[in-house]
Amino acid sequence: MKVNYDYSFVSPKEQEKVRKESSLVVEVDKSLKVSKFDNAYVLPLIWAGTRGGVSTENGELIKSTSTQHIVDLYDYDKDKVVRNHKRAIYIGSFSNYVWGHCFTEHFGKLWFLDTPECAQLRSEGVELVYAAQYEEKQYFKELIRLAGLNISDARRITMVEQFDELYLPDDSFFSTEMCEPRYFTTIYRTTIKKVKENVFKEMQGGSFITYDKIYLTRTQGTFSRLMRDFGERKIEKVFEKCGYKVIAPEKLTVQQQIWLMMHVDYLATTEGSVAHTAVFCKEGTHIALLRKADWVSMHQVAVNECARLEVTYIDAHHSTYNPKDKPWAGPFYLYLSPYLKHFLGIKEFSLPPYLQFDYWIYCLREVYMRTLRQNKMVDSMVRKLIK
């Protein structure tokens, strides 16, 4: 079964763009292998997690090991390199612990753990290593465990280290250029299946309730507290009136979240990291993706195809200040748009954004943030002049 898309609730001026980007086939027929590098270096992640990874003996960065294919290496003191005469398997650059990234690209190399080759290497004492900017979040540890790795069995690289032999598995979820698009292989789907099987073993027989229709909200999460999302509380109330169970995923365990996805028939949520959880849904699940900006998440396109979902895109935003160069960054303003009302089949009256109080809070927030950024720039220029 392939993904079926419904674009009838997207504004006419955006439909062609959304259709073009979401209809890209991102499942690739690719055999994965593991490569061995002699005297390679592992660099810890620094600078907001966007640099680091593995470089060859000659100092060339292996792009697939660096977050979002950043192609430059940072300077480091060659005299402080830890030159250990060991063999290691590099299992990933865990650049951040934003929920959706934890089980997309961060799962990329875990397939190798289930191979006879890995078992043989491990029996010979070859260690597992990875790069991460900071200590692992508990939910990431759980996701990795469900995928087959106890993170305590691997070692986080905190200083530049050189290994006699470094084994580097190909990625099952990857990009071929900076940021977009995202691709996955059949082996990635196998990793997702393994997670679901382990969740089934741990959750079956319990009393945790499942729901046919779920709305996943972000109103109780970090992004809401950081004032990046505005207006969603009104959206969740409308979905609740229409029979959807409103779920704040942060209130549940990892297993409970995945268990709900495995049993839901109709899922609705905003496009972005929270929606990536749909990768654990059963084939044919209907998902309503509320667009927060004029942008298509390519991570989500991969998720849609991997889980073989029935997808409806819905324009539900008036995100005036969303940056064009980083549309995923926000801030976002959601409201009960005509497209969303049409999708839900309701005639509920709603004011246009410019007549709603929270929209002006959204605008004031952006004015305040721009003022802060300008003040920082001025402060930086003054400091340079003083020096």
Side-chain angles (χ1 to χ4, degrees), residues 5 10 58 91 94 118 132 184 196 220 226 231 241 305 317 332 337 351:
Y5 284 103
V10 177
N58 297 325
I91 57 169
F94 305 140
C118 182
F184 71 94
K196 293 169 68 173
Q220 299 181 46
L226 292 175
K241 287 181 181 179
E305 190 169 340
H317 73 89
F332 306 107
S337 70
L351 294 170

Side-chain angles (χ1 to χ4, degrees), residues 163-313:
F163 293 88
D164 283 354
E165 293 180 2
L166 189 71
Y167 295 86
L168 184 63
D170 287 343
D171 286 312
S172 62
F173 192 103
F174 60 95
S175 58
T176 57
E177 54 190 83
M178 179 66 174
C179 293
E180 307 292 6
R182 308 290 173 171
Y183 299 91
F184 71 94
T185 69
T186 303
I187 290 179
Y188 174 75
R189 187 180 279 123
T190 301
T191 303
I192 295 298
K193 181 180 177 182
K194 181 176 183 177
V195 171
K196 293 169 68 173
E197 288 173 347
N198 284 330
V199 168
F200 182 81
K201 291 175 185 176
E202 296 179 17
M203 292 290 292
Q204 66 172 331
S207 57
F208 191 71
I209 299 174
T210 58
Y211 305 92
D212 294 334
K213 301 170 74 174
I214 290 175
Y215 179 84
L216 288 178
T217 182
R218 284 164 46 111
T219 58
Q220 299 181 46
T222 304
F223 289 102
S224 179
R225 293 193 296 273
L226 292 175
M227 297 185 71
R228 284 180 53 185
D229 288 10
F230 293 79
E232 190 179 3
R233 289 192 183 278
K234 291 178 290 186
I235 300 294
E236 68 178 36
K237 288 178 181 178
V238 173
F239 271 94
E240 190 171 30
K241 287 181 181 179
C242 292
Y244 285 74
K245 177 65 176 178
V246 177
I247 298 290
E250 299 86 359
K251 307 298 183 182
L252 306 177
T253 67
V254 168
Q255 291 89 334
Q256 288 170 342
Q257 291 182 59
I258 296 173
W259 184 253
L260 287 177
M261 295 302 97
M262 290 166 60
H263 291 85
V264 69
D265 294 320
Y266 293 88
L267 178 66
T269 190
T270 55
E271 189 174 14
S273 184
V274 66
H276 301 344
T277 319
V279 76
F280 301 109
C281 287
K282 58 182 178 290
E283 185 175 310
T285 298
H286 295 260
I287 180 171
L289 290 172
L290 276 60
R291 290 181 8 107
K292 301 187 298 181
D294 292 334
W295 157 72
V296 174
S297 166
M298 294 309 294
H299 276 83
Q300 189 62 39
V301 171
V303 163
N304 298 340
E305 190 169 340
C306 181
R308 301 185 176 113
L309 305 174
E310 300 279 341
V311 184
T312 301
Y313 280 104

Side-chain angles (χ1 to χ4, degrees), residues 311-323:
V311 184
T312 301
Y313 280 104
I314 306 167
D315 275 357
H317 73 89
H318 194 69
S319 299
T320 311
Y321 295 106
N322 188 61

